Coordinates of all heavy atoms in Angstrom, one line a residue:
I345 N 57.9 113.7 261.5 CA 57.6 112.5 262.4 C 56.1 112.9 262.8 O 55.8 114.0 263.1 CB 58.2 112.9 263.8 CG1 59.9 113.0 263.5 CG2 57.9 111.9 264.9 CD1 60.6 113.4 264.9
F359 N 60.0 116.1 272.9 CA 61.2 115.3 273.4 C 61.8 114.7 272.1 O 63.0 114.6 272.0 CB 60.8 114.3 274.4 CG 60.7 115.0 275.8 CD1 59.5 115.3 276.3 CD2 61.9 115.4 276.5 CE1 59.4 116.0 277.6 CE2 61.9 116.0 277.7 CZ 60.6 116.3 278.3
M360 N 61.1 114.1 271.3 CA 61.6 113.3 270.2 C 62.3 114.2 269.2 O 63.3 114.0 268.7 CB 60.4 112.5 269.4 CG 60.1 111.2 270.2 SD 59.1 110.1 269.2 CE 57.7 111.0 268.7
C362 N 63.6 117.1 269.9 CA 64.8 117.5 270.5 C 65.9 116.6 270.5 O 67.1 116.9 270.2 CB 64.5 117.8 272.1 SG 65.3 119.1 272.6
E363 N 65.5 115.3 270.7 CA 66.5 114.1 270.6 C 67.0 114.0 269.2 O 68.2 113.8 268.9 CB 65.7 112.8 271.0 CG 66.7 111.7 271.2 CD 66.0 110.5 271.7 OE1 65.0 110.6 272.4 OE2 66.5 109.4 271.3
L364 N 66.2 114.2 268.2 CA 66.6 114.2 266.8 C 67.6 115.3 266.5 O 68.5 115.1 265.7 CB 65.2 114.2 265.9 CG 65.5 114.1 264.4 CD1 66.3 112.9 263.9 CD2 64.2 114.3 263.6
L366 N 69.5 116.9 268.5 CA 70.7 116.6 269.0 C 71.7 115.6 268.2 O 72.8 115.9 268.0 CB 70.6 116.0 270.6 CG 70.2 117.1 271.6 CD1 69.6 116.5 272.9 CD2 71.3 118.1 271.8
L367 N 70.9 114.6 267.8 CA 71.6 113.6 267.0 C 72.0 114.2 265.7 O 73.2 113.9 265.3 CB 70.4 112.5 266.7 CG 70.9 111.2 265.9 CD1 71.9 110.4 267.0 CD2 69.7 110.3 265.6
E380 N 71.8 107.5 257.7 CA 72.0 106.5 258.8 C 71.4 107.0 260.1 O 70.9 106.2 260.9 CB 73.5 106.4 258.8 CG 74.1 105.2 259.5 CD 75.6 105.1 259.4 OE1 76.0 105.4 258.3 OE2 76.2 105.1 260.5
L381 N 71.6 108.3 260.4 CA 71.2 108.8 261.7 C 69.6 108.7 261.8 O 69.0 108.4 262.9 CB 71.5 110.4 261.8 CG 73.1 110.6 262.0 CD1 73.3 112.1 261.9 CD2 73.5 110.1 263.2
L382 N 68.9 109.1 260.7 CA 67.4 108.9 260.7 C 67.0 107.5 261.0 O 66.0 107.1 261.6 CB 66.9 109.4 259.5 CG 66.9 111.0 259.4 CD1 66.3 111.5 257.9 CD2 66.2 111.7 260.5
H383 N 67.7 106.5 260.3 CA 67.4 105.1 260.5 C 67.6 104.6 261.8 O 66.7 104.0 262.4 CB 68.4 104.3 259.5 CG 68.0 103.0 259.4 ND1 66.8 102.4 258.8 CD2 68.6 101.8 260.0 CE1 66.8 101.1 259.1 NE2 67.9 100.8 259.7
E384 N 68.6 105.1 262.5 CA 68.9 104.7 263.8 C 67.8 105.4 264.8 O 67.3 104.7 265.6 CB 70.2 105.4 264.2 CG 70.8 105.3 265.6 CD 72.0 106.1 265.8 OE1 72.9 106.1 264.9 OE2 72.2 106.7 266.9
F385 N 67.4 106.5 264.4 CA 66.4 107.4 265.3 C 65.1 106.6 265.1 O 64.3 106.3 266.0 CB 66.4 108.7 264.8 CG 65.3 109.5 265.6 CD1 65.5 110.0 266.9 CD2 64.1 110.0 264.9 CE1 64.6 110.8 267.6 CE2 63.1 110.6 265.6 CZ 63.4 111.0 267.0
E386 N 64.8 106.3 263.9 CA 63.4 105.6 263.6 C 63.2 104.3 264.3 O 62.2 104.0 264.9 CB 63.4 105.3 262.1 CG 62.0 104.9 261.5 CD 62.0 104.9 260.1 OE1 63.1 104.5 259.4 OE2 61.0 105.4 259.4
S387 N 64.4 103.6 264.3 CA 64.3 102.2 265.1 C 64.2 102.4 266.6 O 63.6 101.7 267.3 CB 65.3 101.2 264.6 OG 66.6 101.8 264.7
K388 N 64.9 103.5 267.1 CA 64.7 103.8 268.5 C 63.3 104.3 268.9 O 62.9 103.9 269.9 CB 65.9 104.8 268.8 CG 66.2 104.9 270.2 CD 67.2 105.9 270.6 CE 67.1 106.4 272.1 NZ 68.0 107.5 272.3
C389 N 62.8 105.2 268.2 CA 61.6 105.9 268.7 C 60.3 105.2 268.0 O 59.3 105.6 268.4 CB 61.6 107.3 268.3 SG 61.2 107.8 266.5
Q390 N 60.5 104.2 267.2 CA 59.5 103.3 266.7 C 58.4 104.3 266.1 O 57.2 104.0 266.1 CB 58.7 102.6 267.9 CG 59.7 101.7 268.5 CD 60.0 100.5 267.7 OE1 59.2 99.7 267.3 NE2 61.3 100.3 267.6
R391 N 58.8 105.2 265.2 CA 58.0 106.0 264.5 C 58.4 106.0 263.0 O 59.6 106.1 262.9 CB 57.8 107.5 265.0 CG 57.4 107.6 266.4 CD 56.0 108.3 266.5 NE 55.6 108.3 267.9 CZ 54.8 109.2 268.4 NH1 54.2 110.1 267.6 NH2 54.4 109.2 269.6
N392 N 57.5 106.1 262.1 CA 57.9 106.2 260.7 C 58.4 107.5 260.4 O 57.7 108.6 260.7 CB 56.7 105.8 259.9 CG 57.0 105.4 258.5 OD1 58.2 105.3 258.3 ND2 56.1 105.5 257.7
I393 N 59.6 107.7 259.8 CA 60.2 109.0 259.5 C 60.1 109.1 258.0 O 60.5 108.3 257.3 CB 61.5 109.1 260.0 CG1 61.7 108.8 261.5 CG2 62.2 110.4 259.7 CD1 61.4 110.0 262.5

Side-chain angles (χ1 to χ4, degrees):
I345 305 175
F359 277 106
M360 284 198 295
C362 213
E363 195 177 324
L364 179 60
L366 287 164
L367 189 65
E380 197 178 315
L381 292 171
L382 288 175
H383 185 69
E384 180 187 320
F385 180 75
E386 193 170 39
S387 48
K388 189 177 164 194
C389 77
Q390 301 291 304
R391 299 255 176 148
N392 193 19
I393 304 278

